[in-house]
Amino acid sequence: MSPHHLNPSSLKSRFTTRFLRALTNINAQNPISSSSPREILQRYRRIKVAADKSMAYSVRSRRTWSRAMRWKLRSRSWRQASSVRRLKITTTCHQAIMKKTAHERESKTTTGEEVGFGVQTDGLRELVPGGEAMDICNLLDETAHYIKCLTTQVQREQIAS
Amino acid sequence: MAAFSFQPHPFLLDSIFLPNTPTKVSGFMEEGNINSNCFSQFYPPEPIQESPLDPKFHESSCLDHSSKLAHSDNEPSVTKKQSTDDSTVVDKLESGEQVTQNVTLTDRKRKTRSRTTLNSAQSKDAKEGKSKKQRKRNDVLKNEKKESKADKKDQKKATEEPPTGYIHVRARRGQATDSHSLAERVRREKISERMKILQRLVPGCDKVTGKALMLDEIINYVQSLQNQVEFLSMKLASVNPMFYDFGVDLEALMVRPERVNGSIASPLPSLQQCNPTQPTAFADTTTTTFVPANNYPLLDASAALLLQQGQRPNVFSQDNGSLLWDVEDQRQKFLNSSGLNDNLCCFH
């Protein structure tokens, strides 16, 4: 269709490679010693992050949602492993961006209500990463792509598990 | 006399302008007038939109008035140009209506021009009101369908030619409201197009009517997908870690497409080993299947090869498998029949 529509097979294969690699890494770094719920939770978190990461990186920042997700993950990993100064920077960045997006959203929701589904689009904005700053057209576009990628993710994980 | 013969022309434009316009447009285009080039974007879709079935008429009437507006806008410039040029141009352009016109017609033309704009403005208003009423009368579903149909064509045009062209022309002509409505229509049509895409993606969404309900459905679907991902990662976290072994995992991946694995595996490795440029030579037949193989970030050679062999068939057997399979079969035929396989090996 249009050039920014990804080749699904390439996306899927890229995602699978990344995800498998991440899984093996996780497995190699700390193999399961006990099946305590705490450890399982930790593993779950890591796997979840790995899945998200591999999904976002396999899209290669061509999409707004993947960029937002990468940004989120990166800032999260920063927060986990970085000094206070860095944390300050990220939080101020985050605040500035949030301000901006809130401002944009205000102007956007007015147009959204014209069309007649302001409430629903707000719900969608929360679900799609980076959706806070989008207008409806882009939001729907990103949602479509995001759904595609999510289905891929689910399929892969089903196969892997 | 001359004025009289010219007089019907504007009315023709307003009332029956449809059959006449295309030929005229081509005339303007020949002239090389920039304005006419701009508004000629409107004309090609017009007969197409008018010709299909009756039910679409409400929407197309709306489109008509916009195109008419464009016409009335551009008419002056054309006439001006004509007046500066000699009369042969005029003859050539409007051969149907005017037989002989002289350069002395300029001020008369000016008059008629003002009349045409008036006429078109009036009829525009009337039509706009009408179409609005009709729109209100229509139920939501019908309206949506028509809009998306009619507007898709419009947008195709817009994407083919620079989309900024006509909108900016509108605005410059001092018709701000109309340009607004035009932009709004483009936006709405974009939204409905995206909604259609989403409708295709989300299962059970095609039964729902109305955008709000559809969006609800979409939200539910996205949420369920996210939950599913969480659940699966939880499952992955809790199952036996032995399962993550590369070999076991790959076996699990290869379980499904095993029947075809043998047939695919033979052409694939040779292709992957050869230069990345060589597949692109016949990429026209195999673009969809080929790109991923080259795009791979290779971890290390053996592992990557293993992965590719394991994954690619698997990928093909997924949801859109039939299409990809066809391509794959074609490619295999192509490879086998032309003996490219051997050639590639030789290259390597």
Side-chain angles (χ1 to χ4, degrees), chain B residues 267-282 290 293-294 298 305 331 335 340-348:
Chain B
L268 266 184
S270 64
L271 285 178
Q272 281 157 4
Q273 281 160 15
C274 66
N275 277 337
T277 50
Q278 277 167 5
T280 55
F282 49 91
F290 254 82
N294 297 326
L298 298 180
L305 256 176
R331 194 181 59 131
L335 285 175
L340 249 178
N341 210 356
D342 300 334
N343 287 340
L344 287 170
C345 287
C346 292
F347 275 132
H348 178 59

Side-chain angles (χ1 to χ4, degrees), chain A residues 7 12 20 137 146 155 160, chain B residues 194 226 243 249 288 318-319:
Chain A
N7 185 357
K12 279 176 186 173
L20 283 183
C137 279
Y146 186 56
Q155 283 167 359
Chain B
R194 304 273 152 76
Q226 284 175 346
F243 210 54
D249 220 351
T288 47
Q318 292 292 322
D319 45 358

Side-chain angles (χ1 to χ4, degrees), chain B residues 67-123:
Chain B
S67 56
K68 193 186 293 171
L69 237 154
H71 201 134
S72 67
D73 277 349
N74 280 283
E75 187 71 12
S77 68
V78 171
T79 47
K80 259 185 227 160
K81 189 142 193 199
Q82 281 166 3
S83 64
T84 53
D85 291 349
D86 53 7
S87 61
T88 53
V89 181
V90 181
D91 285 342
K92 200 171 47 174
L93 285 178
E94 304 174 355
S95 54
E97 284 107 20
Q98 296 163 272
V99 188
T100 48
Q101 295 280 327
N102 288 330
V103 195
T104 52
L105 277 176
T106 45
D107 28 7
R108 280 170 194 167
K109 271 187 184 172
R110 287 270 159 78
K111 275 181 204 164
T112 53
R113 187 226 303 168
S114 65
R115 253 176 247 152
T116 57
T117 49
L118 252 178
N119 276 335
S120 66
Q122 282 169 1
S123 64

Side-chain angles (χ1 to χ4, degrees), chain A residues 7 9 12-13 17 20 27 43-44 48 115 117 120 127 137 144 146-147 151 153-155 157 159-160, chain B residues 187 194 201 211 215-216 219 221 226 229-230 232-234 237 243-244 249 253 288 296 307 318-319:
Chain A
N7 185 357
S9 59
K12 279 176 186 173
S13 53
T17 340
L20 283 183
N27 197 34
R43 285 177 63 82
Y44 153 73
K48 181 84 185 13
V115 185
F117 41 78
Q120 280 91 356
L127 289 179
C137 279
Y146 186 56
I147 285 177
T151 43
Q153 204 181 10
V154 167
Q155 283 167 359
E157 289 196 28
I159 292 168
Chain B
R187 198 181 75 92
R194 304 273 152 76
L201 278 175
K211 280 182 183 167
L215 268 176
D216 275 337
I219 290 172
Y221 186 59
Q226 284 175 346
V229 167
E230 279 179 21
L232 284 168
S233 347
M234 196 62 136
F243 210 54
Y244 296 140
D249 220 351
L253 281 172
T288 47
Y296 255 127
L307 265 178
Q318 292 292 322
D319 45 358

